[in-house]
Amino acid sequence: DMKVTQMPRYLIKRMGENVLLECGQDMSHETMYWYRQDPGLGLQLIYISYDVDSNSEGDIPKGYRVSRKKREHFSLILDSAKTNQTSVYFCASSLGTANERLFFGHGTKLSVL
Amino acid sequence: GDSVTQTEGQVTVSESKSLIINCTYSATSIGYPNLFWYVRYPGEGLQLLLKVITAGQKGSSRGFEATYNKEATSFHLQKASVQESDSAVYYCALSDNNYGNEKITFGAGTKLTIKP
């Protein structure tokens, strides 16, 4: 159905708690991405995954880690969340490289109090 | 590093009027980057509107056009007559052509509101 699904859509956590953001896609895309967007800024790349267990840091990986054990799923983990990680997080996938069309999820709005 | 600049954070245009959303870029690749416009309609995920990979070429979709101007390093989005359904947030983006660099760099977005 050509869909990228993100769960949850909204999340409130306290500082120091662990956070798990999940992303799934039904297109068997090799490449998946995690971005975050803050007000007035463009989407900033956190991590890229080229396939199962083949992950690479993006521009702002500090404070985040990822897991991709199945091609369809890509998780973003925040160990001991910080208030400056309050943001909207977007997952995306593409068939090949970034020159191909990216398919995005609806985003997860995370608030760390 | 690469960067994309959209000068207007918000734009309001009356229905049936013309539109231009400005985008300029800076790329570090040896060759020319690929350029994109993505759009997020209310309640939907970000989606590709149009893409141009060759300098000097024009891309078009849904009545929107953008021309890849390598001299001016610009990729402005234009539409001759907007409709209320065009209300959305528009993002200009580029992808570097360096092998192994699979990154897309996005601008901050321009929120377009169409007045009926």
Side-chain angles (χ1 to χ4, degrees):
Chain A
D1 198 30
M2 297 174 68
K3 195 185 297 184
V4 176
T5 304
Q6 289 185 241
M7 295 294 290
R9 294 289 300 274
Y10 302 93
L11 187 60
I12 299 175
K13 288 286 192 177
R14 294 193 181 280
M15 190 170 61
E17 291 185 326
N18 297 331
V19 178
L20 173 65
L21 303 184
E22 309 231 53
C23 176
Q25 49 99 357
D26 61 3
M27 296 165 279
S28 295
H29 283 170
E30 296 170 343
T31 312
M32 296 187 73
Y33 312 77
W34 276 107
Y35 286 90
R36 65 177 277 179
Q37 186 175 27
D38 300 303
L41 296 179
L43 281 74
Q44 297 174 273
L45 182 64
I46 307 172
Y47 267 95
I48 300 174
S49 174
Y50 297 103
D51 211 329
V52 171
D53 286 331
S54 178
N55 306 317
S56 182
E57 294 181 346
D59 295 324
I60 53 164
K62 188 178 179 182
Y64 303 95
R65 62 184 174 93
V66 292
S67 174
R68 191 160 179 210
K69 297 301 182 185
K70 293 183 179 180
R71 180 173 277 192
E72 309 81 52
H73 294 122
F74 190 34
S75 301
L76 181 69
I77 301 124
L78 288 67
D79 295 316
S80 188
K82 300 172 181 51
T83 55
N84 62 9
Q85 293 178 307
T86 292
S87 188
V88 182
Y89 291 85
F90 291 97
C91 175
S93 71
S94 66
L95 181 60
T97 71
N99 294 319
E100 302 296 325
R101 173 183 172 186
L102 263 63
F103 290 78
F104 281 84
H106 283 72
T108 294
K109 187 170 184 178
L110 171 66
S111 297
V112 182
L113 306 178
Chain B
D2 300 336
S3 67
V4 177
T5 301
Q6 294 177 240
T7 50
E8 305 97 354
Q10 295 194 69
V11 172
T12 301
V13 180
S14 296
E15 197 167 20
S16 79
K17 298 299 185 185
S18 63
L19 165 75
I20 182 165
I21 298 177
N22 294 309
C23 172
T24 56
Y25 65 87
S26 173
T28 55
S29 61
I30 296 172
Y32 296 111
N34 299 325
L35 300 177
F36 308 82
W37 278 100
Y38 278 80
V39 58
R40 183 163 68 229
Y41 296 104
E44 298 184 19
L46 199 61
Q47 57 187 277
L48 180 66
L49 178 62
L50 58 86
K51 173 176 99 171
V52 180
I53 63 172
T54 304
Q57 297 295 308
K58 178 165 61 179
S60 60
S61 175
R62 306 182 198 180
F64 288 90
E65 295 181 338
T67 299
Y68 189 155
N69 186 331
K70 64 180 174 65
E71 289 82 16
T73 61
S74 69
F75 192 55
H76 305 319
L77 184 68
Q78 302 183 72
K79 190 171 187 182
S81 175
V82 297
Q83 305 168 351
E84 202 168 346
S85 58
D86 294 325
S87 293
V89 183
Y90 293 81
Y91 295 87
C92 185
L94 71 83
S95 69
D96 203 306
N97 275 317
N98 284 339
Y99 178 75
N101 183 352
E102 310 299 355
K103 188 179 78 167
I104 283 193
T105 300
F106 287 87
T110 299
K111 184 177 182 180
L112 173 64
T113 302
I114 306 299
K115 288 193 303 186

